Coordinates of all heavy atoms in Angstrom, one line a residue:
M754 N -47.9 57.2 -4.5 CA -49.0 57.2 -3.7 C -48.7 56.3 -2.5 O -48.2 55.2 -2.7 CB -50.2 56.6 -4.4 CG -51.5 56.8 -3.7 SD -53.0 56.2 -4.5 CE -53.3 57.6 -5.6
S755 N -48.9 56.7 -1.3 CA -48.6 55.9 -0.1 C -49.6 54.8 0.2 O -50.7 54.8 -0.4 CB -48.5 56.9 1.1 OG -49.8 57.3 1.5
T756 N -49.2 53.9 1.0 CA -50.1 52.8 1.4 C -51.4 53.3 2.0 O -52.4 52.8 1.7 CB -49.4 51.9 2.4 OG1 -48.2 51.4 1.7 CG2 -50.2 50.7 2.7
A757 N -51.2 54.3 2.9 CA -52.4 54.9 3.5 C -53.3 55.5 2.5 O -54.6 55.4 2.6 CB -52.0 56.0 4.5
Q758 N -52.8 56.2 1.5 CA -53.6 56.8 0.4 C -54.3 55.7 -0.4 O -55.5 55.9 -0.8 CB -52.8 57.7 -0.5 CG -52.3 58.9 0.1 CD -51.3 59.7 -0.7 OE1 -50.4 59.0 -1.3 NE2 -51.4 61.0 -0.7
V759 N -53.6 54.7 -0.7 CA -54.2 53.5 -1.5 C -55.3 52.9 -0.6 O -56.4 52.6 -1.2 CB -53.1 52.5 -1.8 CG1 -53.8 51.2 -2.4 CG2 -52.2 53.0 -2.8
T760 N -55.1 52.7 0.7 CA -56.1 52.1 1.5 C -57.3 53.0 1.6 O -58.5 52.5 1.4 CB -55.6 52.0 3.0 OG1 -54.4 51.1 2.9 CG2 -56.6 51.4 3.9
E761 N -57.1 54.3 1.7 CA -58.2 55.3 1.8 C -59.0 55.3 0.5 O -60.2 55.3 0.4 CB -57.8 56.6 2.2 CG -58.8 57.7 2.3 CD -59.9 57.3 3.4 OE1 -59.5 56.6 4.4 OE2 -61.0 57.7 3.3
K762 N -58.3 55.3 -0.7 CA -58.9 55.2 -1.9 C -59.7 54.0 -2.2 O -60.8 54.0 -2.7 CB -57.8 55.4 -3.0 CG -58.3 55.8 -4.3 CD -58.7 57.2 -4.4 CE -58.8 57.7 -5.8 NZ -59.4 59.0 -5.9
A763 N -59.2 52.9 -1.7 CA -59.9 51.6 -1.9 C -61.2 51.6 -1.0 O -62.3 51.2 -1.4 CB -59.1 50.4 -1.4
K764 N -61.1 52.2 0.2 CA -62.3 52.3 1.1 C -63.3 53.2 0.4 O -64.5 52.9 0.5 CB -61.9 52.8 2.5 CG -61.2 51.7 3.3 CD -60.8 52.2 4.6 CE -60.1 51.2 5.5 NZ -59.7 51.7 6.8
Q765 N -62.9 54.3 -0.1 CA -63.8 55.2 -0.7 C -64.5 54.7 -1.9 O -65.7 54.8 -2.1 CB -63.1 56.5 -1.2 CG -62.6 57.4 -0.1 CD -61.7 58.6 -0.6 OE1 -61.4 58.6 -1.7 NE2 -61.4 59.4 0.4
T766 N -63.7 53.9 -2.7 CA -64.2 53.1 -3.9 C -65.3 52.2 -3.5 O -66.4 52.1 -4.1 CB -63.2 52.4 -4.7 OG1 -62.2 53.4 -5.0 CG2 -63.7 51.8 -5.9
L767 N -65.0 51.3 -2.4 CA -66.0 50.4 -2.0 C -67.3 51.1 -1.4 O -68.4 50.6 -1.7 CB -65.4 49.6 -0.9 CG -64.3 48.6 -1.2 CD1 -63.6 48.0 0.0 CD2 -64.8 47.6 -2.3
K768 N -67.1 52.1 -0.7 CA -68.3 52.9 -0.2 C -69.1 53.4 -1.3 O -70.3 53.3 -1.3 CB -67.8 54.0 0.7 CG -68.9 54.8 1.3 CD -68.4 55.9 2.2 CE -69.6 56.7 2.8 NZ -69.2 57.9 3.5
S769 N -68.4 54.0 -2.3 CA -69.1 54.5 -3.5 C -69.9 53.5 -4.2 O -71.0 53.6 -4.7 CB -68.2 55.2 -4.4 OG -67.6 56.3 -3.8
M770 N -69.3 52.3 -4.4 CA -69.9 51.2 -5.1 C -71.1 50.7 -4.3 O -72.2 50.5 -4.9 CB -68.9 50.0 -5.3 CG -67.9 50.3 -6.3 SD -66.5 49.1 -6.4 CE -67.4 47.8 -7.2
R771 N -71.0 50.6 -3.0 CA -72.2 50.2 -2.2 C -73.3 51.2 -2.3 O -74.5 50.9 -2.5 CB -71.8 50.1 -0.8 CG -71.0 48.9 -0.5 CD -70.6 48.8 1.0 NE -69.8 47.5 1.2 CZ -68.7 47.5 1.9 NH1 -68.2 48.7 2.4 NH2 -68.0 46.4 2.1
E772 N -73.0 52.5 -2.3 CA -74.0 53.6 -2.3 C -74.6 53.5 -3.7 O -75.9 53.7 -3.8 CB -73.4 54.9 -2.1 CG -72.9 55.1 -0.6 CD -72.2 56.4 -0.4 OE1 -71.9 57.1 -1.3 OE2 -71.9 56.7 0.8
L773 N -73.9 53.4 -4.7 CA -74.4 53.3 -6.1 C -75.4 52.1 -6.2 O -76.5 52.3 -6.8 CB -73.2 53.2 -7.1 CG -73.7 53.1 -8.6 CD1 -74.4 54.5 -9.0 CD2 -72.4 52.9 -9.4
L774 N -75.0 51.0 -5.7 CA -75.9 49.8 -5.8 C -77.2 50.1 -5.1 O -78.3 49.8 -5.5 CB -75.2 48.6 -5.2 CG -76.0 47.3 -5.3 CD1 -76.3 46.9 -6.8 CD2 -75.2 46.2 -4.7
E775 N -77.1 50.7 -3.8 CA -78.3 51.0 -3.1 C -79.2 52.0 -3.8 O -80.4 51.8 -3.9 CB -77.9 51.6 -1.7 CG -77.3 50.5 -0.8 CD -76.7 51.1 0.5 OE1 -76.8 52.3 0.7 OE2 -76.1 50.3 1.2
K776 N -78.6 53.0 -4.4 CA -79.4 54.0 -5.2 C -80.1 53.3 -6.4 O -81.2 53.6 -6.7 CB -78.6 55.1 -5.6 CG -78.2 56.0 -4.5 CD -77.3 57.2 -4.9 CE -76.8 58.0 -3.7 NZ -75.9 59.1 -4.2
A777 N -79.3 52.5 -7.1 CA -79.9 51.8 -8.3 C -81.0 50.9 -7.8 O -82.1 50.9 -8.5 CB -78.8 51.0 -8.9
E778 N -80.9 50.2 -6.7 CA -81.9 49.3 -6.3 C -83.2 50.1 -5.9 O -84.3 49.8 -6.3 CB -81.4 48.6 -5.1 CG -82.5 47.6 -4.5 CD -82.0 46.7 -3.4 OE1 -80.9 47.1 -2.8 OE2 -82.6 45.8 -3.0
E779 N -83.0 51.3 -5.3 CA -84.0 52.1 -4.8 C -84.8 52.7 -6.0 O -86.0 52.7 -6.1 CB -83.6 53.3 -3.9 CG -84.6 54.2 -3.4 CD -84.0 55.3 -2.5 OE1 -83.1 55.0 -1.8 OE2 -84.5 56.5 -2.6
S780 N -84.1 53.2 -7.0 CA -84.7 53.8 -8.2 C -85.5 52.8 -9.0 O -86.5 53.0 -9.5 CB -83.8 54.6 -9.0 OG -82.9 53.7 -9.7
T781 N -84.9 51.6 -9.1 CA -85.5 50.5 -9.8 C -86.9 50.1 -9.1 O -87.9 49.9 -9.7 CB -84.6 49.3 -9.9 OG1 -83.4 49.7 -10.6 CG2 -85.3 48.1 -10.6
N782 N -86.8 50.0 -7.8 CA -88.0 49.7 -7.0 C -89.0 50.7 -7.2 O -90.2 50.3 -7.4 CB -87.6 49.5 -5.5 CG -86.9 48.2 -5.2 OD1 -87.0 47.3 -5.9 ND2 -86.1 48.2 -4.1
K783 N -88.7 52.0 -7.2 CA -89.7 53.0 -7.4 C -90.3 52.9 -8.8 O -91.6 53.1 -8.9 CB -89.1 54.4 -7.2 CG -88.8 54.8 -5.8 CD -88.2 56.1 -5.6 CE -87.9 56.4 -4.2 NZ -87.2 57.8 -4.1
A784 N -89.5 52.7 -9.8 CA -90.1 52.6 -11.1 C -91.0 51.4 -11.3 O -92.0 51.4 -11.9 CB -88.9 52.5 -12.2
L785 N -90.6 50.3 -10.7 CA -91.4 49.0 -10.7 C -92.7 49.2 -10.0 O -93.7 48.6 -10.4 CB -90.6 47.9 -10.2 CG -89.5 47.4 -11.1 CD1 -88.7 46.3 -10.4 CD2 -90.0 46.9 -12.4
E786 N -92.7 50.0 -8.9 CA -93.9 50.2 -8.1 C -95.0 50.8 -9.0 O -96.2 50.5 -8.9 CB -93.7 51.0 -6.9 CG -93.0 50.3 -5.8 CD -92.6 51.2 -4.6 OE1 -93.1 52.4 -4.5 OE2 -91.8 50.7 -3.7
K787 N -94.6 51.7 -9.9 CA -95.5 52.4 -10.8 C -95.9 51.5 -11.9 O -97.0 51.6 -12.4 CB -94.9 53.7 -11.3 CG -94.6 54.7 -10.2 CD -94.0 55.9 -10.8 CE -93.6 56.9 -9.7 NZ -92.9 58.1 -10.2
A788 N -94.9 50.7 -12.5 CA -95.2 50.0 -13.8 C -95.8 48.7 -13.6 O -96.8 48.4 -14.3 CB -93.8 49.9 -14.5
A789 N -95.3 47.8 -12.8 CA -95.8 46.4 -12.8 C -95.6 45.7 -11.5 O -94.6 45.1 -11.2 CB -95.0 45.6 -13.9
P790 N -96.6 45.8 -10.6 CA -96.4 45.3 -9.2 C -96.2 43.7 -9.2 O -95.5 43.3 -8.4 CB -97.8 45.6 -8.6 CG -98.3 46.7 -9.3 CD -97.8 46.6 -10.7
T791 N -96.7 43.0 -10.2 CA -96.5 41.6 -10.2 C -95.1 41.3 -10.5 O -94.4 40.4 -9.9 CB -97.4 40.9 -11.2 OG1 -98.7 41.3 -11.0 CG2 -97.3 39.5 -11.2
V792 N -94.5 41.9 -11.5 CA -93.1 41.7 -11.8 C -92.2 42.2 -10.8 O -91.1 41.6 -10.6 CB -92.8 42.4 -13.2 CG1 -91.3 42.2 -13.6 CG2 -93.7 41.8 -14.3
Q793 N -92.6 43.2 -10.1 CA -91.8 43.9 -9.0 C -91.3 42.8 -8.0 O -90.1 42.8 -7.6 CB -92.5 45.0 -8.4 CG -91.7 45.6 -7.3 CD -92.4 46.7 -6.6 OE1 -93.6 47.1 -6.9 NE2 -91.9 47.2 -5.5
K794 N -92.2 42.0 -7.6 CA -91.9 41.0 -6.5 C -90.7 40.1 -7.0 O -89.8 39.8 -6.2 CB -93.0 40.2 -6.1 CG -94.0 41.0 -5.3 CD -95.2 40.1 -4.9 CE -96.3 41.0 -4.2 NZ -97.4 40.2 -3.8
S795 N -90.7 39.7 -8.2 CA -89.7 38.8 -8.7 C -88.4 39.5 -8.9 O -87.3 39.0 -8.5 CB -90.1 38.3 -10.1 OG -89.1 37.6 -10.7
I796 N -88.5 40.8 -9.4 CA -87.2 41.5 -9.5 C -86.6 42.0 -8.2 O -85.4 42.0 -8.0 CB -87.4 42.7 -10.5 CG1 -87.7 42.2 -11.9 CG2 -86.3 43.7 -10.5 CD1 -88.0 43.3 -12.9
D797 N -87.5 42.3 -7.2 CA -87.1 42.7 -5.9 C -86.2 41.6 -5.3 O -85.1 41.8 -4.7 CB -88.2 42.9 -5.0 CG -88.8 44.3 -5.1 OD1 -88.1 45.2 -5.8 OD2 -89.9 44.6 -4.6
S798 N -86.7 40.3 -5.4 CA -85.9 39.3 -4.8 C -84.6 39.1 -5.6 O -83.6 38.8 -4.9 CB -86.7 38.0 -4.8 OG -87.0 37.5 -6.1
S799 N -84.6 39.3 -6.9 CA -83.3 39.2 -7.6 C -82.4 40.3 -7.2 O -81.2 40.0 -7.1 CB -83.6 39.3 -9.2 OG -84.4 38.2 -9.6
L800 N -82.9 41.5 -7.1 CA -82.0 42.6 -6.7 C -81.5 42.4 -5.3 O -80.4 42.8 -5.0 CB -82.8 44.0 -6.8 CG -83.0 44.5 -8.3 CD1 -83.9 45.8 -8.2 CD2 -81.7 44.8 -8.9
E801 N -82.3 41.9 -4.4 CA -81.9 41.7 -3.1 C -80.8 40.6 -3.0 O -79.8 40.8 -2.3 CB -83.1 41.2 -2.2 CG -82.8 41.1 -0.8 CD -84.0 40.8 0.1 OE1 -85.1 41.3 -0.2 OE2 -83.9 39.9 1.0
A802 N -81.0 39.6 -3.8 CA -79.9 38.6 -3.9 C -78.6 39.1 -4.5 O -77.5 38.9 -4.0 CB -80.4 37.4 -4.7
A803 N -78.8 40.0 -5.5 CA -77.6 40.6 -6.1 C -76.9 41.5 -5.2 O -75.7 41.6 -5.1 CB -78.0 41.4 -7.4
A804 N -77.7 42.3 -4.4 CA -77.1 43.2 -3.4 C -76.3 42.4 -2.3 O -75.2 42.8 -1.9 CB -78.1 44.0 -2.7
K805 N -76.9 41.3 -1.9 CA -76.2 40.4 -0.9 C -75.0 39.9 -1.4 O -74.0 39.8 -0.8 CB -77.2 39.3 -0.4 CG -78.3 39.8 0.5 CD -79.2 38.7 0.9 CE -80.3 39.2 1.9 NZ -81.3 38.1 2.2
G806 N -75.0 39.4 -2.7 CA -73.8 38.9 -3.3 C -72.7 39.9 -3.5 O -71.6 39.7 -3.2
F807 N -73.2 41.1 -3.8 CA -72.2 42.2 -4.0 C -71.6 42.5 -2.6 O -70.3 42.7 -2.5 CB -73.0 43.5 -4.5 CG -72.1 44.7 -4.6 CD1 -71.3 44.8 -5.7 CD2 -72.2 45.7 -3.7 CE1 -70.5 46.0 -5.9 CE2 -71.4 46.8 -3.8 CZ -70.6 47.0 -4.9
N808 N -72.4 42.7 -1.6 CA -71.8 43.0 -0.3 C -70.9 41.9 0.3 O -69.8 42.1 0.9 CB -72.9 43.2 0.8 CG -73.5 44.6 0.5 OD1 -72.9 45.5 0.1 ND2 -74.9 44.7 0.8
A809 N -71.3 40.6 0.0 CA -70.5 39.5 0.4 C -69.1 39.5 -0.4 O -68.0 39.3 0.3 CB -71.1 38.2 0.1
T810 N -69.1 39.8 -1.6 CA -67.9 39.9 -2.4 C -67.0 41.0 -1.9 O -65.8 40.8 -1.7 CB -68.2 40.2 -3.9 OG1 -69.0 39.1 -4.4 CG2 -67.0 40.3 -4.7
L811 N -67.6 42.2 -1.6 CA -66.8 43.3 -1.1 C -66.2 43.0 0.3 O -65.1 43.3 0.6 CB -67.6 44.6 -1.0 CG -68.0 45.1 -2.4 CD1 -68.8 46.4 -2.3 CD2 -66.7 45.4 -3.3
K812 N -67.0 42.3 1.1 CA -66.5 41.9 2.5 C -65.3 40.9 2.3 O -64.3 41.0 3.0 CB -67.6 41.3 3.3 CG -68.5 42.3 3.9 CD -69.6 41.6 4.7 CE -70.6 42.7 5.2 NZ -71.7 42.1 5.9
S813 N -65.5 40.0 1.4 CA -64.4 39.1 1.1 C -63.1 39.8 0.6 O -62.0 39.5 1.1 CB -64.8 38.1 0.1 OG -63.8 37.2 -0.3
I814 N -63.3 40.8 -0.3 CA -62.2 41.5 -0.8 C -61.6 42.4 0.3 O -60.3 42.5 0.3 CB -62.6 42.4 -2.0 CG1 -62.9 41.5 -3.2 CG2 -61.5 43.5 -2.3 CD1 -63.6 42.2 -4.3
D815 N -62.3 42.9 1.2 CA -61.8 43.7 2.3 C -60.8 42.9 3.2 O -59.9 43.5 3.8 CB -62.9 44.2 3.2 CG -63.8 45.3 2.6 OD1 -63.3 46.0 1.7 OD2 -64.9 45.6 3.1
G816 N -60.9 41.6 3.2 CA -60.0 40.8 4.0 C -58.7 40.5 3.4 O -57.8 40.0 4.0
A817 N -58.5 40.9 2.1 CA -57.3 40.6 1.4 C -56.2 41.7 1.7 O -56.6 42.8 2.2 CB -57.5 40.5 -0.1
T818 N -55.0 41.5 1.3 CA -54.0 42.5 1.4 C -54.3 43.7 0.5 O -55.1 43.5 -0.5 CB -52.6 42.0 1.0 OG1 -52.6 41.7 -0.4 CG2 -52.2 40.8 1.9
L819 N -53.7 44.8 0.7 CA -54.0 46.0 -0.1 C -53.7 45.7 -1.6 O -54.5 46.0 -2.5 CB -53.2 47.2 0.3 CG -53.6 47.8 1.6 CD1 -52.6 48.9 2.0 CD2 -55.0 48.2 1.7
E820 N -52.6 45.1 -1.9 CA -52.3 44.8 -3.3 C -53.3 43.8 -3.9 O -53.7 44.0 -5.0 CB -50.9 44.1 -3.4 CG -49.8 45.1 -3.1 CD -48.4 44.5 -3.1 OE1 -48.2 43.3 -3.3 OE2 -47.4 45.3 -2.8
D821 N -53.7 42.8 -3.1 CA -54.7 41.8 -3.6 C -56.0 42.5 -3.8 O -56.8 42.2 -4.7 CB -54.8 40.6 -2.7 CG -53.6 39.7 -2.8 OD1 -52.8 39.8 -3.8 OD2 -53.4 38.9 -1.9
Q822 N -56.4 43.4 -2.8 CA -57.7 44.1 -3.0 C -57.7 44.9 -4.4 O -58.7 44.8 -5.0 CB -57.8 45.2 -1.9 CG -58.2 44.5 -0.5 CD -58.5 45.6 0.5 OE1 -59.0 46.7 0.3 NE2 -58.1 45.3 1.7
V823 N -56.6 45.5 -4.7 CA -56.6 46.3 -5.9 C -56.8 45.3 -7.1 O -57.6 45.6 -8.0 CB -55.3 47.1 -6.1 CG1 -55.2 47.7 -7.5 CG2 -55.2 48.2 -5.1
K824 N -56.0 44.2 -7.1 CA -56.2 43.2 -8.2 C -57.6 42.6 -8.2 O -58.2 42.5 -9.3 CB -55.2 42.1 -8.0 CG -53.7 42.6 -8.2 CD -52.8 41.4 -7.9 CE -51.3 42.0 -8.0 NZ -50.3 40.9 -7.6
L825 N -58.1 42.3 -7.1 CA -59.4 41.7 -7.0 C -60.5 42.7 -7.5 O -61.4 42.3 -8.2 CB -59.8 41.2 -5.6 CG -59.0 40.0 -5.1 CD1 -59.2 39.8 -3.6 CD2 -59.4 38.7 -5.9
L826 N -60.4 43.9 -7.1 CA -61.4 44.9 -7.5 C -61.3 45.2 -9.0 O -62.3 45.4 -9.6 CB -61.2 46.2 -6.7 CG -61.7 46.2 -5.3 CD1 -61.2 47.4 -4.5 CD2 -63.2 46.0 -5.2
Q827 N -60.1 45.1 -9.6 CA -60.0 45.3 -11.0 C -60.7 44.2 -11.8 O -61.4 44.4 -12.7 CB -58.5 45.4 -11.4 CG -57.8 46.6 -11.0 CD -56.3 46.7 -11.1 OE1 -55.6 45.6 -11.2 NE2 -55.7 47.8 -11.2
V828 N -60.5 42.9 -11.2 CA -61.2 41.8 -11.9 C -62.7 41.9 -11.7 O -63.4 41.6 -12.7 CB -60.6 40.5 -11.3 CG1 -61.4 39.3 -11.8 CG2 -59.1 40.3 -11.7
Y829 N -63.1 42.3 -10.5 CA -64.5 42.4 -10.2 C -65.2 43.5 -11.1 O -66.3 43.3 -11.6 CB -64.8 42.7 -8.8 CG -66.1 42.5 -8.3 CD1 -66.9 41.4 -8.6 CD2 -66.8 43.5 -7.5 CE1 -68.2 41.3 -8.2 CE2 -68.1 43.4 -7.1 CZ -68.8 42.3 -7.4 OH -70.1 42.1 -7.0
R830 N -64.4 44.6 -11.3 CA -64.9 45.6 -12.2 C -65.1 45.1 -13.6 O -66.1 45.4 -14.3 CB -64.0 46.8 -12.2 CG -64.4 48.0 -13.1 CD -63.5 49.2 -13.1 NE -62.2 48.8 -13.4 CZ -61.1 49.5 -13.1 NH1 -61.2 50.6 -12.4 NH2 -59.9 49.1 -13.4
K831 N -64.2 44.3 -14.1 CA -64.4 43.7 -15.4 C -65.5 42.8 -15.5 O -66.3 42.8 -16.5 CB -63.1 42.9 -15.8 CG -61.9 43.8 -16.2 CD -60.7 43.0 -16.6 CE -59.5 43.9 -16.9 NZ -58.3 43.1 -17.3
F832 N -65.7 42.0 -14.4 CA -66.9 41.1 -14.4 C -68.2 41.9 -14.4 O -69.1 41.7 -15.2 CB -66.8 40.3 -13.1 CG -68.1 39.6 -12.8 CD1 -68.4 38.4 -13.5 CD2 -69.0 40.0 -11.8 CE1 -69.6 37.7 -13.2 CE2 -70.1 39.3 -11.5 CZ -70.5 38.2 -12.2
L833 N -68.3 43.0 -13.6 CA -69.5 43.9 -13.6 C -69.7 44.6 -14.9 O -70.8 44.7 -15.4 CB -69.4 44.9 -12.4 CG -69.5 44.3 -11.0 CD1 -69.3 45.3 -10.0 CD2 -70.8 43.5 -10.8
G834 N -68.6 45.0 -15.5 CA -68.7 45.6 -16.9 C -69.2 44.6 -17.9 O -70.0 45.0 -18.7
G835 N -68.9 43.4 -17.8 CA -69.3 42.4 -18.7 C -70.9 42.2 -18.5 O -71.6 42.1 -19.5
Q836 N -71.3 42.3 -17.2 CA -72.7 42.1 -17.0 C -73.5 43.4 -17.6 O -74.5 43.2 -18.1 CB -73.0 42.0 -15.5 CG -72.6 40.6 -15.0 CD -72.9 40.4 -13.5 OE1 -72.9 41.4 -12.7 NE2 -73.3 39.2 -13.2
A837 N -72.9 44.5 -17.3 CA -73.5 45.8 -17.8 C -73.6 45.7 -19.4 O -74.6 46.1 -19.9 CB -72.8 47.0 -17.4
D838 N -72.6 45.3 -20.0 CA -72.6 45.1 -21.5 C -73.6 44.2 -21.9 O -74.4 44.4 -23.0 CB -71.2 44.7 -22.0 CG -70.1 45.7 -21.9 OD1 -70.5 46.9 -21.6 OD2 -68.9 45.3 -21.9
F839 N -73.8 43.1 -21.2 CA -74.9 42.1 -21.5 C -76.2 42.8 -21.4 O -77.1 42.6 -22.3 CB -74.8 40.9 -20.6 CG -75.9 39.9 -20.8 CD1 -75.8 39.0 -21.9 CD2 -77.1 39.9 -20.0 CE1 -76.8 38.1 -22.1 CE2 -78.1 39.0 -20.2 CZ -78.0 38.1 -21.3
V840 N -76.5 43.5 -20.3 CA -77.8 44.2 -20.2 C -78.0 45.2 -21.3 O -79.1 45.3 -21.8 CB -77.9 44.8 -18.8 CG1 -79.0 45.7 -18.6 CG2 -77.9 43.8 -17.7
D841 N -77.0 46.0 -21.6 CA -77.0 47.0 -22.6 C -77.5 46.3 -24.0 O -78.3 46.8 -24.8 CB -75.7 47.7 -22.9 CG -75.5 48.7 -21.7 OD1 -76.4 49.0 -21.0 OD2 -74.3 49.1 -21.6
G842 N -76.8 45.2 -24.3 CA -77.2 44.4 -25.5 C -78.6 44.0 -25.5 O -79.3 44.0 -26.5
R843 N -79.1 43.5 -24.4 CA -80.5 43.1 -24.2 C -81.4 44.3 -24.5 O -82.5 44.1 -25.1 CB -80.8 42.4 -22.9 CG -80.2 41.1 -22.6 CD -81.0 40.0 -23.3 NE -82.4 39.9 -23.0 CZ -82.9 39.1 -22.0 NH1 -82.0 38.4 -21.3 NH2 -84.2 39.1 -21.8
I844 N -81.1 45.4 -23.9 CA -81.9 46.6 -24.1 C -82.0 47.0 -25.5 O -83.1 47.3 -26.1 CB -81.4 47.8 -23.2 CG1 -81.6 47.5 -21.8 CG2 -82.0 49.1 -23.6 CD1 -80.9 48.4 -20.7
R845 N -80.8 47.0 -26.2 CA -80.8 47.4 -27.6 C -81.7 46.3 -28.4 O -82.5 46.8 -29.3 CB -79.4 47.3 -28.1 CG -78.6 48.6 -27.8 CD -77.3 48.7 -28.6 NE -76.4 47.6 -28.3 CZ -75.5 47.6 -27.2 NH1 -75.5 48.5 -26.4 NH2 -74.8 46.5 -27.0
T846 N -81.5 45.1 -28.1 CA -82.3 44.1 -28.9 C -83.8 44.3 -28.7 O -84.6 44.3 -29.6 CB -81.9 42.6 -28.4 OG1 -80.5 42.4 -28.7 CG2 -82.7 41.6 -29.1
L847 N -84.2 44.5 -27.4 CA -85.6 44.7 -27.1 C -86.2 46.0 -27.8 O -87.3 46.0 -28.3 CB -85.9 44.7 -25.6 CG -85.6 43.4 -24.9 CD1 -85.7 43.5 -23.4 CD2 -86.7 42.3 -25.4
E848 N -85.3 47.1 -27.7 CA -85.8 48.3 -28.3 C -85.9 48.1 -29.9 O -86.9 48.7 -30.4 CB -84.7 49.4 -28.1 CG -84.7 49.9 -26.6 CD -83.6 50.9 -26.3 OE1 -82.6 50.9 -27.0 OE2 -83.8 51.7 -25.3
E849 N -85.0 47.4 -30.5 CA -85.1 47.1 -32.0 C -86.4 46.3 -32.2 O -87.1 46.6 -33.2 CB -83.9 46.4 -32.4 CG -82.7 47.3 -32.5 CD -81.4 46.6 -32.8 OE1 -81.5 45.4 -33.1 OE2 -80.3 47.2 -32.7
K850 N -86.7 45.3 -31.4 CA -87.9 44.5 -31.6 C -89.2 45.4 -31.4 O -90.1 45.3 -32.2 CB -87.9 43.4 -30.6 CG -87.0 42.2 -31.0 CD -87.2 41.1 -30.0 CE -86.2 40.0 -30.3 NZ -86.4 38.8 -29.3
A851 N -89.2 46.2 -30.4 CA -90.3 47.1 -30.2 C -90.5 48.1 -31.3 O -91.6 48.3 -31.8 CB -90.1 47.9 -28.9
K852 N -89.3 48.6 -31.8 CA -89.3 49.6 -32.9 C -89.9 48.9 -34.2 O -90.7 49.5 -34.9 CB -87.9 50.1 -33.2 CG -87.8 51.2 -34.1 CD -86.4 51.6 -34.2 CE -86.1 53.0 -34.7 NZ -84.7 53.3 -34.9
S853 N -89.5 47.6 -34.5 CA -89.9 46.9 -35.7 C -91.4 46.6 -35.6 O -92.1 46.5 -36.6 CB -89.0 45.8 -36.0 OG -89.2 44.8 -35.0
K854 N -91.9 46.4 -34.4 CA -93.3 46.0 -34.2 C -94.2 47.2 -34.5 O -95.3 47.1 -35.0 CB -93.6 45.5 -32.8 CG -93.4 44.1 -32.6 CD -93.9 43.7 -31.2 CE -93.9 42.2 -31.1 NZ -94.5 41.8 -29.8
K855 N -93.7 48.4 -34.2 CA -94.5 49.6 -34.4 C -94.6 50.0 -35.9 O -95.5 50.6 -36.3 CB -93.9 50.8 -33.7 CG -94.1 50.7 -32.2 CD -93.5 52.0 -31.5 CE -93.6 51.9 -30.0 NZ -93.1 53.0 -29.3
Q856 N -93.6 49.5 -36.7 CA -93.5 49.9 -38.1 C -94.3 48.9 -38.9 O -95.0 48.2 -38.9 CB -92.1 49.9 -38.7 CG -91.3 51.0 -38.0 CD -89.8 50.8 -38.4 OE1 -89.4 49.9 -39.1 NE2 -89.0 51.8 -38.0

């Protein structure tokens, strides 16, 4: 794979990650508008802060060499995966608690 191809692939990946985050934020906001307006304000500010942090991280990575960008993005993906795993664990725990309350 040429340097140009790697660069293009990295740019496409960053663009996709940004779009995914924006879509996730939008769908979460829509769900919260229906479910709990009071909680929504708190979560909105958290999501906004997360989005800003995400964008700042990606901008920082954009400034690195191509090789470093790949390494940094790989590490960042592991970090985000860890956060997703944590959220999944919390969801499972809460679902189990809700299930046991119903029984």
Side-chain angles (χ1 to χ4, degrees):
M754 188 178 282
S755 71
T756 303
Q758 289 172 320
V759 171
T760 300
E761 185 59 31
K762 195 71 160 169
K764 286 180 182 180
Q765 289 173 355
T766 301
L767 292 174
K768 182 181 177 187
S769 294
M770 291 172 72
R771 285 182 182 128
E772 290 171 356
L773 181 63
L774 182 63
E775 289 171 5
K776 287 178 184 179
E778 183 178 12
E779 183 180 320
S780 69
T781 301
N782 285 336
K783 285 180 183 178
L785 287 174
E786 285 174 12
K787 294 178 185 177
T791 307
V792 176
Q793 179 184 354
K794 290 180 183 179
S795 174
I796 292 177
D797 277 349
S798 64
S799 296
L800 285 174
E801 188 175 316
K805 285 180 182 177
F807 178 80
N808 285 327
T810 299
L811 292 181
K812 284 180 184 177
S813 174
I814 291 172
D815 284 343
T818 66
L819 292 178
E820 290 176 4
D821 287 345
Q822 284 183 35
V823 171
K824 292 175 186 174
L825 291 168
L826 287 170
Q827 288 170 338
V828 170
Y829 193 50
R830 179 178 55 203
K831 285 182 184 180
F832 169 75
L833 293 174
Q836 289 186 324
D838 291 345
F839 176 81
V840 171
D841 288 343
R843 288 284 302 268
I844 290 169
R845 280 191 299 276
T846 300
L847 292 171
E848 287 174 340
E849 288 171 7
K850 283 183 181 180
K852 192 180 198 181
S853 67
K854 274 189 172 184
K855 287 183 181 180
Q856 295 175 352

